[in-house]
Amino acid sequence: MEDLQEFPLQVQLSFSKLLEEFKVRMQQSQNEVTKDYLKAVLDYAESYPELINGIEHTDKIDEYEEVLSTLLDNLFPAALTKNEIKAATMPFMNKIFNPTKRFAAIMKDAGEDFDLSIRNLDPAYYYIIGCVVILNSYYNYDIDFKRPVFYEIPDKNGVIRTYRASINADFTFCEPTEEAVEITPEIVDKLIENGNDFKLWKEYFPPNSWILKGITILNLTDVTVDDSISDLKSTLLAQKNIKKDAVQQFQSIFSSIFNIPDLQVGFTEFDKDEECFMRMNNGIGNSFILNDKMRTDCRQSMCDCSYDTLIKDKKYFVIPDVDEYAVKHKTNLLAKNLQEQGIKSCILAPISRGNELLAVLELVSSKRNSLHSLNATKLDDVMPYIVSTVERKKFELENRIKAVIQSECTSIHPSVLWVFEEEARRFIANQNQGKFAAFKDIAFEDVYPLYGQIDIVGSSEERNKAIQQDILIQLKMVYDILDLAIATAPMPIYEQVKFRIEEFTAEITERLNANSESEVFALLQEEVNPLLSHLNTKIPELKKAIDNYKASINKDTGLIYENRKNYDDTVQLINQNLATFLDRKQQEAQQIFPHYFERYKTDGVDHNIYIGASMTPKEKFNKVYLYNLRLWQLCTMCEMENHFYHKQEGAELQLDAASLILVFSTTLSIRYRMDEKKFDVDGTYNARYEIIKKRIDKALVKGTDERITQKGKIAIIYSQDADAEEYTRYIHYLQRKEYLGTEVEYLELEDVQGVVGLKAIRVNVLYTSKLPRTNEEETITYEDLMEILD
């Protein structure tokens, strides 16, 4: 730390404490030779009083190089100068002098521009350490402040070596200046209680208010391997997935461990079921075994020796000379891959759990004999951490796979997972005891249902329109080819097929019926396609047009799938966006009160919610949670309407949506159907709810031909007047929040099969220029709800 202006100590180089030590040793020594030597050193030092009184400027130290060497000769034995990494320094300064030959060589290899500094030095912490030195040295406290100090120094190959520092400060002492503050025991207690309060320490130890005189002896120990192993552990623990930056870290760490600048690291996964190698994390990072392939069979990749060593015996497979190995195994794919990548030596280390091979760690170098069986043993210290990490990643991946399967493929929502876990524990306990084990039905009684949907208006018409456009385009292409054929080499059969095309075109232009697509397909398969094959070889002028036609049709269906694909892709994208948005909003709803939730995609997104005391035995249920959830649902449907239109901005195909909410005022029972892997209502009476759900979106307003669901509006279906009163209050609230407009209709529905007496409130949605509001100030509070309900 060269600049110590912001430091409590003025540092001066002084030999006074060391020379005092020499005087004591001289007086106590019984050896005449030692006495004479120490007396000569002391006499010699008297010729340089400035070295005793103190030198403050570091640039003057170089003038005393020979003198300093003489005074320190007793502490720096010449016999150890090639082995010890040792130097004298000014306290708290990077200025070193009288280094051993090994220390000097290390600094020379680091380069002229290298600045020796402590790793991860915090100036505030360094300042506080200076204050503690004063307390311990001057006031005789024994405050423990020691922590490992490390220097990172590059070697001649550019590999970063790590050195742990041991600093001997026995030959230093402190003196106060006029600016120094007298430190009392009460102040010390206060400082110790606030060890990280830099301002407080600076208040009692102002900058440059004390003087530190003396020299320190710095000893360095090369701990590169230990430190690299520690870094490796930290890297492995910090990485959730092995990413590109982690691979770079691994290479740097292993390069330091093996002291090989060009060392590279690769990872290859092993699939025991198919006995093949494959890339980790979808190809992130190197795999020198695979080279440019994503996966390959193990037997094809390796020779018998490498296969037996690595896969069967789970031992290191070392190739010190890849070129020699390639000569011995000429047909070996591993040798070929290594040579193609410029690798001259390598170590392949199995990452195994027990007798199960999980992956292979690859260390490679571009130099022959850089990696060999002797330095391969360095891996013994790090492999346990790598195995543990790969095992943990594998376990986490398996859990994620299970979570995705549960989320995407089953209806076991986290809110009801507890009851399945309880039943699973009972099931397993019975199995362990040898009893009959059967998974019982899961059921919840007295739960309130909530149902909502946002559907694409006229989806069938839009889909038929897309099919119609594709058929007409295809018929026009065939018609043009036949026109060209008649003009080039007329034949009656061309005219007859052309006439059939005209008939179909006129019929489909007027109306697309249920059989239109199959009839056109039959025409194309039975008459058009054989004719086109004939024309393709008979009339060369038609080849380009026929090739263009073939390129335009879908290979699986034999039909053009352009407009319908656009429609299907648009619907799929809208549904995915709506489903993702609803999932995110539903996480907020779980904070209201835990409840069961499921949603599914059709031509839009539908959702079911069940809430009640039986689903959450650990929490007390109150109907206020039901009211809050109903309000949340209505609010969310408004936001989904906005989301629906915002996600279509700029799209070629524009679709409309209509939303619906079903209010069911009584509780019902639901049961998990093991065969269908989903919850369903339980009992004959409760089945009425499912019947209503399936039929209400097609219901008409009484006395009209108008569907209850209309674009730009939300229809709230109910049967009890109390429900209408409740939702009227919610509508007023959301009108004030500018979610809903003023067009409110109270309607009766035509009776449909099995469903009579239903009514509806229909209200228009307000659309904003921005995406749906999700900030905190827009959320519904408990006070808002109480205001509405009152």
Side-chain angles (χ1 to χ4, degrees):
M1 190 171 179
E2 293 293 348
D3 185 5
L4 293 181
Q5 291 181 353
E6 279 291 293
F7 200 63
L9 294 159
Q10 301 176 35
V11 180
Q12 297 179 9
L13 175 68
S14 170
F15 280 78
S16 61
K17 195 77 181 285
L18 176 63
L19 295 175
E20 287 177 11
E21 178 69 21
F22 284 178
K23 286 179 183 178
V24 173
R25 284 178 58 196
M26 183 182 71
Q27 293 168 1
Q28 294 177 347
S29 177
Q30 302 298 317
N31 189 304
E32 292 299 323
V33 175
T34 302
K35 281 188 174 184
D36 291 343
Y37 168 74
L38 292 174
K39 184 176 185 306
V41 172
L42 291 169
D43 291 343
Y44 181 75
E46 288 180 0
S47 303
Y48 301 94
E50 63 273 27
L51 293 178
I52 299 173
N53 297 329
I55 298 176
E56 188 171 352
H57 299 290
T58 58
D59 54 355
K60 289 187 177 181
I61 295 176
D62 295 336
E63 301 174 10
Y64 297 91
E65 182 178 353
E66 186 177 343
V67 177
L68 298 176
S69 177
T70 301
L71 296 177
L72 293 169
D73 187 61
N74 187 252
L75 300 178
F76 288 77
L80 301 178
T81 189
K82 293 182 180 179
N83 182 267
E84 290 186 334
I85 310 172
K86 186 176 178 181
T89 69
M90 285 183 69
F92 292 100
M93 305 283 275
N94 288 335
K95 181 65 178 179
I96 65 170
F97 52 92
N98 201 54
T100 61
K101 287 186 178 180
R102 186 177 175 189
F103 198 135
I106 289 172
M107 294 302 294
K108 182 180 178 182
D109 289 341
E112 294 181 2
D113 298 333
F114 177 73
D115 180 27
L116 185 68
S117 59
I118 297 172
R119 183 175 73 184
N120 299 329
L121 178 64
D122 180 2
Y125 174 78
Y126 208 65
Y127 193 101
I128 293 173
I129 291 303
C131 302
V132 175
V133 166
I134 297 168
L135 293 175
N136 289 350
S137 174
Y138 189 82
Y139 290 100
N140 296 318
Y141 282 94
D142 187 19
I143 301 172
D144 184 12
F145 65 92
K146 295 179 181 177
R147 57 187 278 188
V149 174
F150 295 95
Y151 292 94
E152 290 183 341
I153 307 173
D155 65 13
K156 60 184 177 182
N157 295 317
V159 176
I160 301 298
R161 311 293 298 175
T162 303
Y163 298 88
R164 181 168 181 162
S166 174
I167 301 172
N168 186 334
D170 291 345
F171 310 120
T172 62
F173 63 95
C174 294
E175 295 176 347
T177 67
E178 293 181 358
E179 287 77 24
V181 177
E182 180 61 30
I183 306 299
T184 64
E186 292 76 20
I187 293 175
V188 174
D189 291 342
K190 185 178 179 182
L191 291 169
I192 291 175
E193 287 178 9
N194 299 275
N196 295 322
D197 191 341
F198 172 62
K199 290 183 179 179
L200 181 67
W201 285 83
K202 195 172 181 180
E203 178 184 341
Y204 289 107
F205 294 94
N208 301 314
S209 58
W210 288 76
I211 296 173
L212 177 66
K213 292 186 177 183
I215 63 167
T216 50
I217 307 300
L218 174 66
N219 278 278
L220 300 183
T221 304
D222 191 335
V223 293
T224 302
V225 173
D226 292 339
D227 193 60
S228 296
I229 291 173
S230 177
D231 286 346
L232 179 65
K233 287 192 287 184
S234 300
T235 302
L236 291 171
L237 288 171
Q239 290 292 331
K240 288 187 177 180
N241 291 301
I242 296 177
K243 301 176 182 176
K244 289 183 179 179
D245 57 345
V247 173
Q248 294 299 322
Q249 285 180 285
F250 291 148
Q251 289 193 174
S252 176
I253 290 167
F254 279 108
S255 182
S256 296
I257 292 175
F258 283 84
N259 198 24
I260 299 174
D262 72 327
L263 187 140
Q264 296 183 70
V265 179
F267 293 93
T268 303
E269 274 194 283
F270 177 73
D271 186 334
K272 67 175 182 178
D273 295 326
E274 297 186 17
E275 208 171 62
C276 68
F277 290 124
M278 56 187 182
R279 286 183 175 274
M280 295 187 77
N281 288 347
N282 297 320
I284 292 178
N286 296 320
S287 172
F288 301 102
I289 292 175
L290 295 174
N291 196 3
D292 56 354
K293 292 184 173 63
M294 288 301 293
R295 63 191 297 133
T296 185
D297 182 85
C298 293
R299 280 293 189 184
Q300 295 177 354
S301 302
M302 316 191 84
C303 63
D304 291 341
C305 179
S306 58
Y307 180 89
D308 291 342
T309 303
L310 193 63
I311 296 174
K312 282 190 173 181
D313 299 335
K314 317 294 187 301
K315 294 180 180 179
Y316 303 151
F317 184 70
V318 184
I319 309 176
D321 189 336
V322 170
D323 292 336
E324 183 182 347
Y325 173 77
V327 172
K328 292 180 180 178
H329 305 275
K330 293 181 180 179
T331 60
N332 184 258
L333 185 60
L334 174 62
K336 179 185 175 184
N337 284 341
L338 293 175
Q339 283 187 313
E340 285 180 355
Q341 297 169 87
I343 296 166
K344 300 298 183 183
S345 61
C346 72
I347 299 172
L348 305 179
I351 303 171
S352 57
R353 174 178 56 192
N355 199 38
E356 180 186 358
L357 181 64
L358 304 175
V360 177
L361 169 68
E362 309 162 335
L363 303 182
V364 304
S365 170
S366 61
K367 293 181 181 178
R368 174 177 167 273
N369 289 332
S370 284
L371 294 164
H372 45 75
S373 57
L374 294 177
N375 61 10
T377 58
K378 292 185 177 184
L379 286 175
D380 293 346
D381 295 325
V382 303
M383 287 307 293
Y385 307 115
I386 295 175
V387 170
S388 176
T389 300
V390 172
E391 189 174 356
R392 174 165 53 87
K393 304 302 179 192
K394 196 176 184 71
F395 178 74
E396 289 173 355
L397 177 60
E398 289 171 355
N399 282 345
R400 285 189 66 191
I401 290 171
K402 290 176 183 176
V404 169
I405 291 172
Q406 178 180 308
S407 171
E408 299 297 325
C409 306
T410 75
S411 297
I412 304 177
H413 191 265
S415 61
V416 295
L417 188 59
W418 63 271
V419 72
F420 287 88
E421 290 174 343
E422 283 184 359
E423 182 57 25
R425 289 190 186 98
R426 188 197 63 78
F427 180 90
I428 293 169
N430 285 343
Q431 279 188 329
N432 293 339
Q433 295 170 20
K435 297 179 181 179
F436 174 74
F439 207 93
K440 293 181 180 179
D441 284 350
I442 305 295
F444 295 102
E445 296 181 351
D446 296 325
V447 295
Y448 291 92
L450 292 86
Y451 172 75
Q453 69 175 39
I454 177 169
D455 272 356
I456 295 172
V457 175
S459 57
S460 299
E461 290 82 358
E462 287 292 342
R463 184 180 285 105
N464 287 340
K465 183 180 176 183
I467 295 171
Q468 182 186 40
Q469 289 173 337
D470 285 337
I471 291 175
L472 290 174
I473 290 171
Q474 188 164 0
L475 292 176
K476 178 68 167 60
M477 293 182 77
V478 174
Y479 184 89
D480 290 344
I481 292 171
L482 292 173
D483 241 4
L484 188 58
I486 292 168
T488 307
M491 289 182 68
I493 188 65
Y494 304 160
E495 293 282 0
Q496 189 269 333
V497 176
K498 180 181 174 184
F499 175 73
R500 295 266 285 148
I501 296 293
E502 288 173 344
E503 281 188 324
F504 270 104
T505 300
E507 181 184 330
I508 291 170
T509 300
E510 183 179 344
R511 183 174 61 89
L512 184 75
N513 59 49
N515 298 322
S516 295
E517 193 170 6
S518 59
E519 289 173 354
V520 169
F521 181 75
L523 171 69
L524 294 171
Q525 289 292 102
E526 296 168 10
E527 299 183 43
V528 172
N529 290 347
L531 184 58
L532 292 182
S533 297
H534 165 75
L535 292 173
N536 200 25
T537 56
K538 191 71 175 175
I539 307 176
E541 294 89 339
L542 298 181
K543 188 177 186 313
K544 184 176 180 182
I546 293 172
D547 288 346
N548 183 44
Y549 169 77
K550 288 181 178 179
S552 301
I553 63 176
N554 184 279
K555 293 180 180 179
D556 297 326
T557 64
L559 298 171
I560 286 180
Y561 184 56
E562 184 177 343
N563 288 285
R564 183 169 177 179
K565 184 178 185 302
N566 185 30
Y567 172 82
D568 290 342
D569 289 347
T570 302
V571 171
Q572 184 179 4
L573 181 61
I574 289 173
N575 283 352
Q576 187 58 51
N577 282 324
L578 288 175
T580 302
F581 178 79
L582 183 58
D583 287 345
R584 188 170 67 249
K585 295 294 293 182
Q586 197 272 329
Q587 291 174 8
E588 298 173 12
Q590 289 292 340
Q591 305 304 315
I592 297 172
F593 191 82
H595 57 273
Y596 177 81
F597 170 86
E598 66 178 359
R599 54 103 181 127
Y600 38 95
K601 293 176 277 188
T602 53
D603 280 345
V605 176
D606 299 12
H607 67 270
N608 285 318
I609 296 174
Y610 300 106
I611 184 171
S614 61
M615 306 188 90
T616 52
K618 293 183 180 179
E619 297 190 41
K620 189 175 181 180
F621 176 73
N622 188 294
K623 284 195 75 172
V624 72
Y625 297 123
L626 170 64
Y627 301 144
N628 211 330
L629 200 56
R630 285 176 171 174
L631 178 55
W632 167 86
Q633 183 189 37
L634 181 56
C635 179
T636 300
M637 294 298 288
C638 295
E639 293 184 351
M640 288 179 70
E641 281 271 353
N642 273 270
H643 202 74
F644 179 93
Y645 288 103
H646 279 292
K647 285 300 178 181
Q648 292 190 82
E649 287 180 357
E652 182 180 342
L653 180 61
Q654 295 291 318
L655 301 173
D656 291 314
S659 297
L660 175 149
I661 288 173
L662 173 60
V663 185
F664 204 72
S665 54
T666 57
T667 61
L668 46 76
S669 298
I670 59 172
R671 184 177 299 274
Y672 189 78
R673 308 291 181 188
M674 291 296 177
D675 53 344
E676 298 180 10
K677 303 299 181 190
K678 62 174 291 187
F679 276 102
D680 205 348
V681 294
D682 191 30
T684 305
Y685 172 75
N686 294 328
R688 180 173 179 269
Y689 173 71
E690 286 296 325
I691 294 172
I692 295 173
K693 272 173 39 180
K694 291 175 181 176
R695 296 176 179 171
I696 50 173
D697 64 328
K698 303 291 192 301
L700 303 177
V701 177
K702 198 164 189 175
T704 72
D705 293 329
E706 180 186 343
R707 288 266 290 268
I708 186 62
T709 52
Q710 294 290 320
K711 69 174 183 179
K713 297 182 179 182
I714 294 178
I716 303 165
I717 313 299
Y718 66 95
S719 58
Q720 304 293 328
D721 290 341
D723 297 330
E725 294 174 6
E726 178 186 340
Y727 273 84
T728 297
R729 292 195 290 269
Y730 298 157
I731 290 169
H732 289 162
Y733 169 74
L734 292 179
Q735 285 172 334
R736 193 173 69 199
K737 286 277 189 177
E738 297 183 350
Y739 277 75
L740 294 173
T742 57
E743 300 171 19
V744 183
E745 304 169 89
Y746 292 86
L747 308 166
E748 291 185 29
L749 272 60
E750 288 282 4
D751 296 341
V752 295
Q753 185 180 0
V755 181
V756 295
L758 291 180
K759 302 176 183 179
I761 306 174
R762 197 163 63 186
V763 57
N764 65 308
V765 179
L766 293 181
Y767 297 99
T768 66
S769 58
K770 298 180 180 179
L771 282 172
R773 296 148 286 199
T774 55
N775 50 323
E776 287 188 10
E777 62 267 20
E778 294 292 346
T779 58
I780 302 162
T781 65
Y782 179 79
E783 290 74 16
D784 290 332
L785 183 64
M786 290 300 100
E787 179 186 340
I788 297 162
L789 296 178
D790 288 341

